[in-house]
Amino acid sequence: LMLDVECDELILEMFQTFFSVISERHPPAVLSAMQTIMILVLEESEEISQPLLETVLHNLVKKTKIVSPAAQRLAIGVVAHCGDKLEHYVQRFLTSVMLEGREVESVLQDDYHDIIYKIYQCAPQILISVIPNLTHVLVTDHVDIRLKAVRLLGRLFSLPNQHVAKEYRQLFGDFLKRFTDKAVEVRLTMVECATDCLIANPYGAEALELLNGFSDRLLDNDEKVRLHVMIAIFNFAKNNLKSVPLPIIQQAADRLRDKKIFVRKATLQKLVDVYRTYCMKCNEVCIEIDEQLEWIPSKIIRCCYDKEVKEFRPAGIEIIFTEELFPADLRVEEKAKHWILFYARFDEIDKKALIRILSQKQRLQGEMLEYLSCRQKIKSSVDATLQEENNQVSWNNLQHFFNSMSSLFMDGQLAEEGFQKLHVMKDNNI
């Protein structure tokens, strides 16, 4: 009846009322009845007004407390059932917003990314002529607009079981080009979005293209980009060792020589994580021992030649090999298998690094024994005067021991404080 008498304002008010009153407390039959009425009105309408369309789209994107989950489900149901009817109007609205931007008078002009994302999940056929226009948005001069476009495409390409990247190959190619965007924030966002895409779809040609995009950014002129790319590659490799080409893992490991210390330190930690995960999976028989991954300890042990990072000192690398490189519960026999394999790959430089670590460990043990012997002599002196003289004479020797031994630790000052506390302890069992 409202359609027959052209009560457009009354129809708009009815739609607004339905969306505002529907809630989780209503039984499913109420939502179904509202949805049926709204679908019927839209299907029978000769023309869908802009306010009516925007009312539906507004409730499709839940961005405020005004739009309840029930109202969003109602909007999704209406769009899904009225795809053919709404297609022309939605396409016209979204195309004008994307290409004309602020010139379009609409309260939803800043929400079109969320609208596209929601519509693609419930009625993707509506967007067949809309999504390709995102290519123009990706190359706009405005950084904030490019950022929103990259995030939208990242969400679309990450949708499970949708294969959006295969359906829109040219758009996916343009998306990959944002890895080289002139704005650092866009490149960082690309790393974030590409990571989500890889997690959602870890196999296939598109995954390899994303990994190649990461690889190209490992030499980015911004240290934050290099850091996040390295982290993304190693995080993905931990769970998908067979999916990441070996050259890409090796290129990421080369960040151990990055000019920024914090990048080098993060790279070492991530490389250790990857190798530990690999050993764990070998032990659980999830994968077979792969000699191609046994080069990782060689990369790690070479870090002790880096004199700028205190964590890369021989004492720090020793801790990695003894406490961090293997899972804590890995049997000695399994550790031995890996030691045999990766030691066989050591060249002369690696062996010298290992000898350096063991030599410093031996030196520390020897000096510790000398200190304990000297300490015992002081305490065993019977004559008080003689003991006082021995204390004075021996203190210089003890201080020499403390300084020498402390230099073998990552934090020399903290180590020396520990030796000082050890010396004044009264426990004769030491």
Side-chain angles (χ1 to χ4, degrees):
L1 179 61
M2 286 190 291
L3 287 172
D4 291 338
V5 296
E6 299 181 353
C7 298
D8 294 341
E9 293 184 3
L10 193 58
I11 291 174
L12 176 60
E13 184 179 347
M14 179 184 70
F15 271 54
Q16 292 170 341
T17 301
F18 282 174
F19 282 125
S20 63
V21 301
I22 189 66
S23 72
E24 302 295 326
R25 297 190 302 273
H26 290 110
V30 174
L31 187 144
S32 178
M34 289 181 177
Q35 182 174 296
T36 300
I37 294 172
M38 297 168 82
I39 292 171
L40 178 63
V41 170
L42 292 174
E43 292 290 353
E44 295 297 325
S45 296
E46 293 183 2
E47 184 79 17
I48 297 177
S49 66
Q50 184 75 9
L52 186 60
L53 176 66
E54 291 191 10
T55 297
V56 175
L57 296 180
H58 170 74
N59 287 276
L60 192 66
V61 289
K62 181 178 179 291
K63 298 193 71 172
T64 64
K65 294 181 180 179
I66 300 175
V67 179
S68 67
Q72 189 178 44
R73 287 201 304 274
L74 179 59
I76 290 172
V78 170
V79 172
H81 283 84
C82 298
D84 293 339
K85 184 69 177 183
L86 293 173
E87 182 174 350
H88 167 70
Y89 302 98
V90 171
Q91 289 177 355
R92 184 177 62 186
F93 169 73
L94 290 175
T95 301
S96 62
V97 169
M98 281 193 292
L99 300 183
E100 299 175 24
R102 297 291 178 183
E103 297 179 11
V104 178
E105 293 184 4
S106 172
V107 294
L108 297 176
Q109 62 184 7
D110 293 328
D111 298 327
Y112 75 86
H113 306 88
D114 293 317
I115 292 172
I116 291 175
Y117 181 69
K118 285 295 183 181
I119 291 178
Y120 194 90
Q121 291 178 283
C122 62
Q125 73 279 4
I126 294 179
L127 303 173
I128 290 177
S129 65
V130 174
I131 290 182
N133 289 325
L134 288 169
T135 296
H136 303 291
V137 185
L138 282 172
V139 295
T140 182
D141 292 334
H142 301 285
V143 174
D144 58 331
I145 295 177
R146 295 203 305 276
L147 277 171
K148 290 181 179 179
V150 167
R151 291 193 183 104
L152 169 60
L153 289 174
R155 294 166 72 191
L156 290 174
F157 294 142
S158 301
L159 285 172
N161 305 317
Q162 293 286 354
H163 309 293
V164 184
K166 290 183 182 296
E167 295 174 13
Y168 297 94
R169 282 295 307 168
Q170 182 178 348
L171 184 59
F172 183 69
D174 293 333
F175 172 73
L176 293 175
K177 291 177 183 177
R178 292 305 96 206
F179 270 122
T180 58
D181 196 281
K182 61 185 178 181
V184 172
E185 52 265 52
V186 176
R187 300 201 299 276
L188 285 170
T189 302
M190 269 300 302
V191 175
E192 177 186 338
C193 293
T195 300
D196 293 338
C197 294
L198 279 174
I199 293 172
N201 301 288
Y203 310 107
E206 290 75 21
L208 184 57
E209 290 180 76
L210 288 167
L211 287 170
N212 287 331
F214 279 147
S215 176
D216 294 338
R217 289 299 93 206
L218 283 168
L219 297 176
D220 196 278
N221 58 10
D222 186 89
E223 60 270 19
K224 294 190 295 296
V225 176
R226 297 196 302 273
L227 173 68
H228 284 84
V229 168
M230 177 275 298
I231 291 173
I233 291 174
F234 282 138
N235 283 347
F236 181 68
K238 278 179 61 177
N239 300 313
N240 303 273
L241 281 171
K242 298 296 184 181
S243 299
V244 184
L246 183 60
I248 293 180
I249 298 179
Q250 292 174 327
Q251 289 169 22
D254 285 340
R255 290 303 90 216
L256 286 171
R257 301 195 302 270
D258 197 276
K259 60 184 178 181
K260 294 295 183 179
I261 290 178
F262 72 90
V263 177
R264 278 181 262 167
K265 291 167 64 174
T267 302
L268 176 61
Q269 193 57 55
K270 286 298 177 181
L271 199 56
V272 170
D273 288 345
V274 168
Y275 189 80
R276 184 171 55 244
T277 302
Y278 154 70
C279 292
M280 180 184 67
K281 291 184 177 180
C282 289
N283 185 50
E284 296 171 352
V285 200
C286 297
I287 59 175
E288 296 180 356
I289 290 180
D290 186 352
E291 292 189 20
Q292 288 191 323
L293 291 172
E294 297 294 348
W295 57 269
I296 293 177
S298 171
K299 278 282 188 182
I300 294 171
I301 205 165
R302 287 192 178 205
C303 289
C304 68
Y305 291 112
D306 187 335
K307 298 181 180 179
E308 285 189 288
V309 187
K310 69 177 183 179
E311 288 84 359
F312 287 8
R313 293 176 182 175
I317 301 302
E318 179 194 344
I319 290 174
I320 288 175
F321 273 83
T322 56
E323 299 180 12
E324 300 176 11
L325 194 60
F326 301 103
D329 57 349
L330 191 66
R331 292 178 299 134
V332 173
E333 295 83 357
E334 295 300 318
K335 291 181 182 179
K337 289 179 184 179
H338 290 288
W339 264 97
I340 291 170
L341 286 172
F342 68 65
Y343 185 79
R345 300 176 68 96
F346 277 12
D347 60 16
E348 289 304 314
I349 296 176
D350 303 328
K351 291 176 182 178
K352 286 181 181 179
L354 179 59
I355 291 172
R356 183 181 177 188
I357 292 171
L358 295 177
S359 297
Q360 291 206 9
K361 186 177 181 70
Q362 186 180 37
R363 175 186 156 192
L364 175 62
Q365 291 172 339
E367 292 187 358
M368 190 66 183
L369 286 173
E370 288 185 49
Y371 156 70
L372 291 174
S373 176
C374 185
R375 183 175 187 268
Q376 185 62 31
K377 288 179 181 179
I378 296 173
K379 289 186 175 292
S380 62
S381 299
V382 178
D383 184 82
T385 304
L386 180 60
Q387 186 177 23
E388 184 177 347
E389 291 177 359
N390 285 341
N391 285 345
Q392 186 63 38
V393 172
S394 299
W395 176 248
N396 293 331
N397 292 335
L398 292 176
Q399 190 62 41
H400 169 73
F401 283 132
F402 295 158
N403 293 338
S404 180
M405 289 189 293
S406 298
S407 67
L408 303 178
F409 288 80
M410 287 189 293
D411 191 331
Q413 183 177 355
L414 184 62
E416 185 169 350
E417 291 174 3
F419 285 126
Q420 300 279 6
K421 291 178 182 177
L422 172 67
H423 182 65
V424 300
M425 292 178 69
K426 304 295 183 181
D427 190 349
N428 290 325
N429 293 318
I430 296 177

